Amino acid sequence: MITTTVPNEGPVLNMTSLTGAGNPAVLRILLGAQLRRLREAKRITLEDAGNVIRASHSKMSRLESGRVAFKDRDIVDLFMYYGVTDQAQIQTLRGVAVRANSRGWWHDYSDILPSWFEEYISLEEAAIQISGYEVQFVPGLLQTEEYARAVTLLSYSNPKEISRRVSLRMARQARLSGAEPVSLRMVLDEAVLSRPIGGTSVMRAQLRHLIEMSQRPNVTIQVLPFKAGGHAAAGGPFSVLHFAESDLSDIVYLEQLSTAQYLEKPDQVRSYLAVMESLRVEAASPEESLSRLQAVFSGP
């Protein structure tokens, strides 16, 4: 491992994590975290660092959280300002920034993809485990094409745009298969099964799909029954993304009507992880949930 040491502060630059990661979203977050550690080790404020690259406090904050692309000149100026003078390291870091800025397959859908959701897809691609709670709809990764179309019709009317949005959702589901499929652990409120999105035939096909998916080794579905009463997730649906990289903390995703929140502070993440664990305890077990899905599918 190659490190740069700031006097009296210890190693703050982990080159192994940066060169070992491959997903652009992960690289942006890791590189941003390195920038933050270097700045804090030198006791430099966000404002002072921003002045070096002619950036505002808010832009510096977005750089350090990996929310925006890195300009080559900014990378060079900031690392020099923070005391990283080894040219071999700087060249490596510049190469990491180029990889972090690379385009993923989802950029083909940029015409319909808002920036706040584009970030989520890139994180979804990098996650090794996704946990979540849904109260109204079947999660996107578990939707059938017709169910996805019915959900999309609730907000959009242009046939071409609807087709593109459904296509994007189906493309995302590739994460559930392949050589290294993501582990998906979802708790569904019973209301999700009771709301006939798209009509009876669409909903029956969706229930059949949930039954099939719940039997995959990387997919866990639990149903939270109405009889459970009130529960810890009173704030609504959420997702928690977990990554293989030790330097990358869990991220909580909260989607709203026209934007989203990404929570990364340890205390915030711990709160949602505690809620997720509570939901799993209150919900029917995976085996009981499968039986419940089969019962709903069979009908009265």
Side-chain angles (χ1 to χ4, degrees):
M1 181 185 301
I2 305 172
T3 58
T4 295
T5 303
V6 178
N8 303 319
E9 294 292 346
V12 293
L13 184 55
N14 185 339
M15 298 292 288
T16 301
S17 64
L18 286 171
T19 55
N23 182 276
V26 170
L27 285 170
R28 283 198 304 274
I29 295 172
L30 291 175
L31 187 53
Q34 299 285 12
L35 286 169
R36 185 186 70 252
R37 293 191 190 104
L38 284 168
R39 177 181 59 78
E40 291 176 346
K42 287 289 190 177
R43 297 183 175 84
I44 296 171
T45 65
L46 278 171
E47 288 80 5
D48 287 342
N51 288 336
V52 173
I53 61 171
R54 301 158 298 283
S56 64
H57 177 286
S58 61
K59 181 180 178 181
M60 279 300 306
S61 179
R62 292 196 300 274
L63 276 174
E64 291 186 353
S65 61
R67 298 290 182 257
V68 294
F70 297 96
K71 293 181 179 178
D72 182 66
R73 185 69 257 171
D74 293 347
I75 289 293
V76 173
D77 289 346
L78 284 173
F79 278 108
M80 292 294 287
Y81 185 51
Y82 296 156
V84 181
T85 57
D86 185 291
Q87 289 303 307
Q89 286 191 8
I90 291 176
Q91 290 304 312
T92 298
L93 293 165
R94 292 173 72 181
V96 169
V98 170
R99 290 163 53 207
N101 293 339
S102 63
R103 293 164 59 90
W105 63 262
W106 53 90
H107 286 93
D108 291 341
Y109 294 89
S110 59
D111 57 316
I112 59 164
L113 197 56
S115 59
W116 55 266
F117 192 59
E118 177 182 332
E119 181 177 348
Y120 176 78
I121 294 179
S122 66
L123 292 171
E124 185 178 81
E125 282 286 304
I128 62 169
Q129 179 177 293
I130 301 173
S131 301
Y133 168 68
E134 286 290 345
V135 67
Q136 183 173 2
F137 300 118
V138 170
L141 289 177
L142 295 174
Q143 292 179 6
T144 64
E145 185 171 345
E146 289 308 311
Y147 184 97
R149 189 176 305 279
V151 172
T152 306
L153 277 166
L154 297 174
S155 302
Y156 302 93
S157 58
N158 183 284
K160 182 177 180 181
E161 182 176 4
I162 291 170
S163 179
R164 293 273 291 155
R165 290 183 179 278
V166 172
S167 176
L168 170 62
R169 189 159 300 181
M170 295 301 101
R172 286 171 51 204
Q173 295 182 6
R175 285 294 289 117
L176 292 175
S177 56
E180 297 181 353
V182 67
S183 171
L184 185 65
R185 305 176 67 184
M186 297 301 303
V187 174
L188 308 184
D189 194 280
E190 188 173 355
V192 173
L193 310 182
S194 303
R195 185 173 286 107
I197 301 296
T200 302
S201 61
V202 170
M203 196 63 200
R204 278 184 60 79
Q206 178 62 71
L207 288 169
R208 183 189 300 112
H209 185 63
L210 286 176
I211 291 169
E212 294 169 354
M213 295 300 293
S214 69
Q215 297 176 71
R216 289 194 179 189
N218 61 310
V219 176
T220 301
I221 298 174
Q222 291 181 256
V223 177
L224 183 66
F226 292 135
K227 67 179 182 181
H231 52 77
F238 65 92
S239 298
V240 182
L241 299 101
H242 179 72
F243 307 89
E245 291 77 11
S246 59
D247 285 354
L248 193 54
S249 63
D250 291 346
I251 296 177
V252 176
Y253 173 75
L254 304 173
E255 186 171 325
Q256 298 159 0
L257 282 176
S258 57
T259 187
Q261 284 184 285
Y262 295 85
L263 308 181
E264 300 176 64
K265 293 182 179 179
D267 58 334
Q268 295 174 323
V269 173
R270 280 194 297 270
S271 294
Y272 277 91
L273 288 174
V275 169
M276 194 72 243
E277 186 57 34
S278 176
L279 288 171
R280 291 195 187 104
V281 172
E282 296 175 39
S285 69
E287 295 76 20
E288 293 170 337
S289 296
L290 175 58
S291 297
R292 186 177 294 266
L293 286 168
Q294 292 169 332
V296 175
F297 175 73
S298 299

